[in-house]
Amino acid sequence: MACVALLAVIAAVVSFRHMHELCLRHGEDRLAAVLIPLAVDGIIVVASMSILLANRYGSRCGALAWTLLMVGSLAGLGVDIVVAEPGLIGRVIAAWPSVALIGSYELLMSQIRRASWNTGRQPPEPQQDEDQEPEDDRPREGVVVLHREAWRWARENRRPDGTLPSERAIAERFERSPRWIKRAGLTGKLG
């Protein structure tokens, strides 16, 4: 994990320099030339963390996080290509920091996801104000109760050949992602 984090930092610094240079070339003052690259790389970090958090809660992340991740990634890659020396080799060299940043950051996020799943940690239940209305009609159940309910439903809804419903079917029934049911099954929390 440390090597991936180091690679992400190196790639972020080089990518920052490219964006900073482009901002100065196009008339931005020094403060804007510092803030704009942080905003572009910040979108990638925030979107990735949002996707990570949604995965940890067993839900699907919305289109906004994925869109921002793609926009930030493409913006960083585009800037690297624009500031490059003309020619294929110059553009490949200049684009490498963005590719390395995106790849290494996503590797880091996947390692964090795996580490949290392997330890069997469950995320805390979201807090809700007493006078706030629930977001949906589903009662706010504890994670353990929800796992038991999913297991009970799966046993009651066996396929004609006697096998349990697919992970996807169980996840859809409980409005969760297939990763939620897989993680619960792998950690022995169903049943």
Side-chain angles (χ1 to χ4, degrees), residues 2-173:
C3 289
V4 174
L6 178 62
L7 180 58
V9 169
I10 292 168
V13 169
V14 175
S15 182
F16 174 88
R17 289 184 64 211
H18 288 163
M19 284 186 240
H20 185 265
E21 179 184 333
L22 187 66
C23 289
L24 291 175
R25 274 190 207 171
H26 290 278
E28 294 295 335
D29 63 24
R30 292 197 180 280
L31 178 60
V34 169
L35 296 177
I36 290 170
L38 293 176
V40 172
D41 287 342
I43 285 175
I44 295 170
V45 172
V46 170
S48 294
M49 295 303 289
S50 180
I51 293 166
L52 174 67
L53 187 60
N55 287 336
R56 288 189 71 198
Y57 277 100
S59 64
R60 294 184 180 148
C61 193
L64 179 60
W66 285 106
T67 301
L68 289 176
L69 179 62
M70 294 304 296
V71 167
S73 299
L74 291 174
L77 184 59
V79 166
D80 290 338
I81 291 170
V82 168
V83 300
E85 291 293 322
L88 179 62
I89 294 175
R91 293 182 197 281
V92 168
I93 291 169
W96 189 254
S98 284
V99 172
L101 175 61
I102 295 162
S104 61
Y105 193 76
E106 286 307 312
L107 281 172
L108 181 63
M109 291 298 101
S110 68
Q111 288 179 4
I112 291 171
R113 280 192 294 269
R114 264 188 251 117
S116 67
W117 292 345
N118 289 341
T119 60
R121 290 185 308 180
Q122 289 294 324
E125 286 294 308
Q127 297 295 319
Q128 181 175 333
D129 295 337
E130 291 179 18
D131 43 320
Q132 180 184 4
E133 291 295 317
E135 293 174 342
D136 57 22
D137 297 320
R138 186 175 59 198
R140 297 292 173 196
E141 302 167 304
V143 174
V144 173
V145 172
L146 190 56
H147 287 153
R148 281 192 210 128
E149 190 174 315
W151 177 242
R152 187 177 317 115
W153 181 86
R155 286 183 300 168
E156 292 170 357
N157 291 281
R158 291 181 184 269
R159 295 177 183 154
D161 66 356
T163 60
L164 295 174
S166 68
E167 292 172 358
R168 182 172 299 282
I170 298 169
E172 286 175 1
R173 166 65 177 85

